Amino acid sequence: MFSQKENKGLIFDIQRFCVHDGPDIRTTVFFKGCPLNCLWCHNPEGISPRPEIGLKNNLCIGCGNCQRTCANKVHNFTDAGHLIDRKNCIGCGACVKSCIGKALSIAGKYVSADDALKEVLRDITFYKNSGGGMTVSGGEPLFQPAFLVELLQKAKSIGLNCCVETSGMAEQKIFTEILQYVDLFLYDFKETNDVLHKKYTGVSNKKIIENLRYIISNGARVRLRCPIIPGFNDRDDHFQGIAEIRRELNSLEEVELLPYNPLGLNKYERFEINLNHLEISKIPDGNNKKIWTEKLNNYIGGAS
Amino acid sequence: MKEGTVEKQSTEAKVLAKYGLHSLSCFYSNKNEPLLRRATRVSKLIFENTILPVYQEKRVYPGAGWYPALPTDDPKKIGMGVSYTGHYRFNPVTAWKFANELDDEFDKHIITRIINDLTVFTSVPCTMRYRHGGVHKVSNYQRVLAEGFEGYKKRIIRLKKKAKGLEQDVFYEAMLECIDSIIALCRRLLGYLKKIKLHKQDDPILDNLIKALEQSPVKPARTFYQALLATQFTMCLTSFEPGRIDKYLYPYFKKDCEEGRISIHEADQLLEEFLSNINNLGGVKHMTLGGTDENGRPVYNELTSLLIKLSGKIKQPNTSLLVRKDMPDKLWDIAMENLKNGRGNPAIINEELYLKGLKETVGVTNEDTADLAFGGCTETLIQGKTMTDSTWTAYNLPDILNQSINNYFIHLKSFSEFYKSFKNDIRLTVKEMTSQINLWQHHFALYFPLPINTLFTDDCLERAIGFSAGGCRYNFDIVDIFGAINVINSLHTIKLIFDNKLNISRPQLLKMLNDNFRNFDKEYIQIKQINKYGNDNDEINNLAKDLLGFVFDEIKKYRCWRGNGYFLPAVIGWTSYIRQGKHVEATPDGRLKAEPLSDSIGAVSETESKGLTALLLSAASIPQASALGTCILNIRIDGGAFAGPDGNSNLKALFKTYFELGGQQIQVNAVDTKMLEAALKEPKKYTDLVVRVAGFTDYFINQNDKIKAEIILRTAHKAN
């Protein structure tokens, strides 16, 4: 399990003015660390549970400040360019501060719940007027349960609307604990076929489906979000699977199909995350989403 | 050709007439008269002789392209003339050439004297450091519709009877001649149309036009169509700025609807024609919609919806929508649809903030605040009752800062000492600027009597004082502050240098600025990377609040010469933010020598990264309520970000929150960068692409390369 530093949580971003992570205008806190390893992950810097250095090669001016600053000598300038010895990097972030061109960045910073909340609350007037609030996303927020509970508890105590975006992969008792604070779950469902689920994400979907049933039976508001990746899970049997869940759990607020989004691709390069197993040749467009949605609605309607 | 009504002409008049300079000859016909009286003689001459605009089977006649002019006057050839409004047409180069080529020594001497007069009239007693802009005005259309020109005439006769002294008597005599000649012009128009009618028996448009013009504008308007024509005609004589059109036309529309005379579709067609007249004219004009009426009730009616929709189809007039908390969602939605689809209109205005400021700080009565309107870009005025110098004054803040840096930067020990010295410089220069502007106002009052504006702006007639001399009920001068955001960012850099937080010494910075950052690549990158205004950083927000609060307060310490009026601070920028940067060397925020200054109170291009809410919070840190001349906020959004079902409500929530936090005005460009770049490459395909520039809307392809580049660089806010 994840190690926590002095009651602090590890996050890789706090992004303001989000209008797609739950209803209305929201600020999203991205937790770092995830038990899944989805082939199509668009926040790959959220997977590892430790801080990582990112490098934008096009901004590096080769000043060498990072090399001089780093205690572990992980920055090297060779004929192949600026290289980072990631094994020995402890993610202290000293090099990022010294970087003149802002080519270096750090994904992963330990923050207290109070500090994270302080940043979230900067936009409080916008939440009041729009109905929005805070969304906790990741990585997997439930991967850092103590920090998550503290953050949600504090947010709720001042009346903030809270969404949690989750893969569903966590111990049931964590869900039990956070249910009281969460206004809406954005719950991922990635693959119906468990063999393929293991292949694509590294874990079984059994616990995920169990947890979904559990929170719904305990009155949680849930929007099911299904990433659709061409060539992977855009299959009829998966749409049928989603439709079955939709019919079984009729208090689900909504089922949303999320077509694969390639925007995260350059992050793989920046953080040198291996992507050789991911070959998505087809980028979906608006038309794909329409066809998929129609298909899903047919399956849902056809059997009811 | 009539040569004016005065028979005994002055020497100057005779000489001028000899060379065909008829408007000037008329102006000089009696040198002993006050200039206002002389100007009304010219108005009369022009109205009697101007060529009438051709009837083109359009309902809204005369079209807005028509400025009455004397057909025999040719200022291009000789470079001298006077227009019907009392403005001089003067091209010194052409005029001197003409004078120097005259053989007759006497005539040459007279013409030379007149050229010298015109030079005095048109000179601007203000140094280049502070001079700028022109005048915007909205006539009292409401009164024209209610009284008709004959009502104006009766009022002038009544006032003339009570005139005190010769000066007032001459004033009313001039005004009487002015209104008489306007009425005569209306009759000429009508006569012309009736003559056409002889050849066009089956033209219902013409029949209706004649019928309407027989009543209005000479007599009070009775129908919507008459009221619209009267507005159009008055606009042709004055400014073409329509003001609060949905407010003053609505009673006529409502009555017509109730009596079955007009349908909403017909009103829509008429208004479209009316607005396209203004659009075809060019220039910078303003229409103001919505808001509050005299009884404190909202003005959100059927015309408001129609006009907001129409404003999305055209570039001019600029449109502002006065938003109250109770504005119906339907109007929000119409406005949002325009904005999301890349139409720059309307700008969204926090009306409450203006009403409060106008009442509490510049003495506008409760009733008159209901006539709040804008001229030009977004210059604040009370329609029909105000003379507003539209940013006559340019206060170039980076120009002041650079001098302060040269004076104090090396010797002083701390940022607070430096900041104090800079504020002292602001104090001194603001005082100098207002003195110069007041001298200019006095000069303008002496030499530009502007009879038509005097006639149509309250309370010039009652006070027997001209429009430019302080006769209006309210007199404002908008002081446009340039480069405000450059200076906020620069001060932040300077503070970091004083606090040794950058690896840059003070002498090094001076050197960098002098060298325009050449040979300082690393330091330049470092300076560019410092956090900047627009990212909701407390330290920078506090700096913005303190600095601009101080500048606004300093400006407001002084009163205008004209009518003991008020200087209203503003951050607008128009297109001048480019010109205002041309003489300013590099600034410590990383802006290069001669580059454009910051426009509006938005972030400098490419310096914001925290999204729209952060930008709005930064902008709201500026004490905008204290700057009644308007702090414009230009934002660019990616229309797609607001396409979903929550799109309108999210956009609305953004605006509402900004207003709640003290924001005044916000204007939106929703065009994606790809489209702008494509328009750069293939302008012919994008001739209808409309963008908000700095306070006004225009076609993208009309902009020069620098402005185009600036617009593309403005951060497009995507939703996350």
mmCIF file of all heavy atoms in Angstrom, chain B residues 537-553:
data_model
loop_
_atom_site.group_PDB
_atom_site.id
_atom_site.type_symbol
_atom_site.label_atom_id
_atom_site.label_comp_id
_atom_site.label_asym_id
_atom_site.label_seq_id
_atom_site.Cartn_x
_atom_site.Cartn_y
_atom_site.Cartn_z
ATOM 1 N N ASN B 537 -2.298 35.174 -8.538
ATOM 2 C CA ASN B 537 -1.244 35.104 -7.527
ATOM 3 C C ASN B 537 -1.461 36.279 -6.567
ATOM 4 O O ASN B 537 -1.583 37.423 -6.991
ATOM 5 C CB ASN B 537 0.113 35.217 -8.247
ATOM 6 C CG ASN B 537 1.258 35.408 -7.289
ATOM 7 O OD1 ASN B 537 1.414 36.468 -6.689
ATOM 8 N ND2 ASN B 537 2.073 34.387 -7.148
ATOM 9 N N ASP B 538 -1.508 35.976 -5.254
ATOM 10 C CA ASP B 538 -1.867 37.014 -4.278
ATOM 11 C C ASP B 538 -0.955 38.228 -4.344
ATOM 12 O O ASP B 538 -1.414 39.366 -4.299
ATOM 13 C CB ASP B 538 -1.839 36.432 -2.866
ATOM 14 C CG ASP B 538 -3.060 35.570 -2.609
ATOM 15 O OD1 ASP B 538 -4.093 35.807 -3.278
ATOM 16 O OD2 ASP B 538 -2.993 34.660 -1.766
ATOM 17 N N GLU B 539 0.348 37.953 -4.454
ATOM 18 C CA GLU B 539 1.295 39.058 -4.431
ATOM 19 C C GLU B 539 1.062 39.993 -5.628
ATOM 20 O O GLU B 539 1.026 41.218 -5.484
ATOM 21 C CB GLU B 539 2.712 38.492 -4.468
ATOM 22 C CG GLU B 539 3.725 39.408 -3.857
ATOM 23 C CD GLU B 539 5.121 38.782 -3.845
ATOM 24 O OE1 GLU B 539 5.210 37.534 -3.775
ATOM 25 O OE2 GLU B 539 6.088 39.535 -3.930
ATOM 26 N N ILE B 540 0.881 39.395 -6.804
ATOM 27 C CA ILE B 540 0.683 40.214 -8.012
ATOM 28 C C ILE B 540 -0.698 40.871 -7.977
ATOM 29 O O ILE B 540 -0.854 42.035 -8.352
ATOM 30 C CB ILE B 540 0.888 39.363 -9.284
ATOM 31 C CG1 ILE B 540 2.284 38.739 -9.265
ATOM 32 C CG2 ILE B 540 0.701 40.208 -10.535
ATOM 33 C CD1 ILE B 540 2.564 37.765 -10.391
ATOM 34 N N ASN B 541 -1.691 40.137 -7.506
ATOM 35 C CA ASN B 541 -3.027 40.740 -7.382
ATOM 36 C C ASN B 541 -2.996 41.970 -6.471
ATOM 37 O O ASN B 541 -3.616 42.998 -6.766
ATOM 38 C CB ASN B 541 -4.016 39.728 -6.796
ATOM 39 C CG ASN B 541 -4.397 38.651 -7.795
ATOM 40 O OD1 ASN B 541 -3.965 38.680 -8.942
ATOM 41 N ND2 ASN B 541 -5.199 37.702 -7.372
ATOM 42 N N ASN B 542 -2.258 41.856 -5.355
ATOM 43 C CA ASN B 542 -2.185 42.993 -4.438
ATOM 44 C C ASN B 542 -1.501 44.186 -5.081
ATOM 45 O O ASN B 542 -1.884 45.330 -4.872
ATOM 46 C CB ASN B 542 -1.448 42.608 -3.155
ATOM 47 C CG ASN B 542 -2.312 41.714 -2.285
ATOM 48 O OD1 ASN B 542 -3.550 41.745 -2.397
ATOM 49 N ND2 ASN B 542 -1.691 40.900 -1.460
ATOM 50 N N LEU B 543 -0.476 43.883 -5.875
ATOM 51 C CA LEU B 543 0.234 44.940 -6.585
ATOM 52 C C LEU B 543 -0.716 45.635 -7.561
ATOM 53 O O LEU B 543 -0.757 46.867 -7.646
ATOM 54 C CB LEU B 543 1.408 44.295 -7.345
ATOM 55 C CG LEU B 543 2.614 45.135 -7.700
ATOM 56 C CD1 LEU B 543 3.122 45.918 -6.512
ATOM 57 C CD2 LEU B 543 3.723 44.203 -8.215
ATOM 58 N N ALA B 544 -1.502 44.828 -8.286
ATOM 59 C CA ALA B 544 -2.459 45.388 -9.250
ATOM 60 C C ALA B 544 -3.467 46.273 -8.541
ATOM 61 O O ALA B 544 -3.781 47.383 -8.979
ATOM 62 C CB ALA B 544 -3.179 44.254 -9.990
ATOM 63 N N LYS B 545 -3.953 45.775 -7.427
ATOM 64 C CA LYS B 545 -4.960 46.511 -6.660
ATOM 65 C C LYS B 545 -4.385 47.839 -6.172
ATOM 66 O O LYS B 545 -4.991 48.901 -6.331
ATOM 67 C CB LYS B 545 -5.378 45.644 -5.467
ATOM 68 C CG LYS B 545 -6.431 46.251 -4.604
ATOM 69 C CD LYS B 545 -6.780 45.292 -3.465
ATOM 70 C CE LYS B 545 -7.673 46.008 -2.471
ATOM 71 N NZ LYS B 545 -7.878 45.211 -1.276
ATOM 72 N N ASP B 546 -3.191 47.768 -5.588
ATOM 73 C CA ASP B 546 -2.613 48.968 -5.003
ATOM 74 C C ASP B 546 -2.223 49.984 -6.068
ATOM 75 O O ASP B 546 -2.568 51.159 -5.974
ATOM 76 C CB ASP B 546 -1.385 48.584 -4.171
ATOM 77 C CG ASP B 546 -0.858 49.778 -3.405
ATOM 78 O OD1 ASP B 546 -1.485 50.123 -2.393
ATOM 79 O OD2 ASP B 546 0.129 50.394 -3.851
ATOM 80 N N LEU B 547 -1.535 49.526 -7.101
ATOM 81 C CA LEU B 547 -1.034 50.459 -8.116
ATOM 82 C C LEU B 547 -2.182 51.125 -8.866
ATOM 83 O O LEU B 547 -2.244 52.355 -8.961
ATOM 84 C CB LEU B 547 -0.118 49.742 -9.112
ATOM 85 C CG LEU B 547 0.342 50.670 -10.238
ATOM 86 C CD1 LEU B 547 1.427 51.611 -9.751
ATOM 87 C CD2 LEU B 547 0.801 49.915 -11.466
ATOM 88 N N LEU B 548 -3.088 50.317 -9.406
ATOM 89 C CA LEU B 548 -4.146 50.934 -10.210
ATOM 90 C C LEU B 548 -5.114 51.722 -9.331
ATOM 91 O O LEU B 548 -5.617 52.766 -9.740
ATOM 92 C CB LEU B 548 -4.862 49.886 -11.061
ATOM 93 C CG LEU B 548 -3.987 49.376 -12.201
ATOM 94 C CD1 LEU B 548 -4.692 48.325 -13.022
ATOM 95 C CD2 LEU B 548 -3.543 50.511 -13.115
ATOM 96 N N GLY B 549 -5.335 51.244 -8.110
ATOM 97 C CA GLY B 549 -6.149 52.026 -7.169
ATOM 98 C C GLY B 549 -5.541 53.404 -6.986
ATOM 99 O O GLY B 549 -6.242 54.427 -7.019
ATOM 100 N N PHE B 550 -4.225 53.439 -6.858
ATOM 101 C CA PHE B 550 -3.530 54.711 -6.680
ATOM 102 C C PHE B 550 -3.670 55.594 -7.925
ATOM 103 O O PHE B 550 -4.002 56.778 -7.832
ATOM 104 C CB PHE B 550 -2.050 54.445 -6.376
ATOM 105 C CG PHE B 550 -1.224 55.682 -6.251
ATOM 106 C CD1 PHE B 550 -1.273 56.449 -5.091
ATOM 107 C CD2 PHE B 550 -0.415 56.117 -7.298
ATOM 108 C CE1 PHE B 550 -0.519 57.616 -4.972
ATOM 109 C CE2 PHE B 550 0.333 57.276 -7.194
ATOM 110 C CZ PHE B 550 0.281 58.027 -6.026
ATOM 111 N N VAL B 551 -3.441 55.004 -9.102
ATOM 112 C CA VAL B 551 -3.525 55.795 -10.340
ATOM 113 C C VAL B 551 -4.952 56.349 -10.508
ATOM 114 O O VAL B 551 -5.146 57.533 -10.811
ATOM 115 C CB VAL B 551 -3.138 54.947 -11.573
ATOM 116 C CG1 VAL B 551 -3.313 55.742 -12.860
ATOM 117 C CG2 VAL B 551 -1.699 54.467 -11.466
ATOM 118 N N PHE B 552 -5.956 55.494 -10.283
ATOM 119 C CA PHE B 552 -7.350 55.946 -10.418
ATOM 120 C C PHE B 552 -7.613 57.118 -9.462
ATOM 121 O O PHE B 552 -8.203 58.127 -9.853
ATOM 122 C CB PHE B 552 -8.331 54.803 -10.094
ATOM 123 C CG PHE B 552 -8.264 53.618 -11.024
ATOM 124 C CD1 PHE B 552 -8.762 52.380 -10.639
ATOM 125 C CD2 PHE B 552 -7.713 53.734 -12.293
ATOM 126 C CE1 PHE B 552 -8.719 51.278 -11.487
ATOM 127 C CE2 PHE B 552 -7.655 52.641 -13.153
ATOM 128 C CZ PHE B 552 -8.149 51.412 -12.745
ATOM 129 N N ASP B 553 -7.190 56.968 -8.222
ATOM 130 C CA ASP B 553 -7.453 58.016 -7.228
ATOM 131 C C ASP B 553 -6.753 59.320 -7.586
ATOM 132 O O ASP B 553 -7.311 60.403 -7.399
ATOM 133 C CB ASP B 553 -7.010 57.554 -5.829
ATOM 134 C CG ASP B 553 -7.969 56.516 -5.259
ATOM 135 O OD1 ASP B 553 -9.077 56.374 -5.826
ATOM 136 O OD2 ASP B 553 -7.619 55.858 -4.265
#
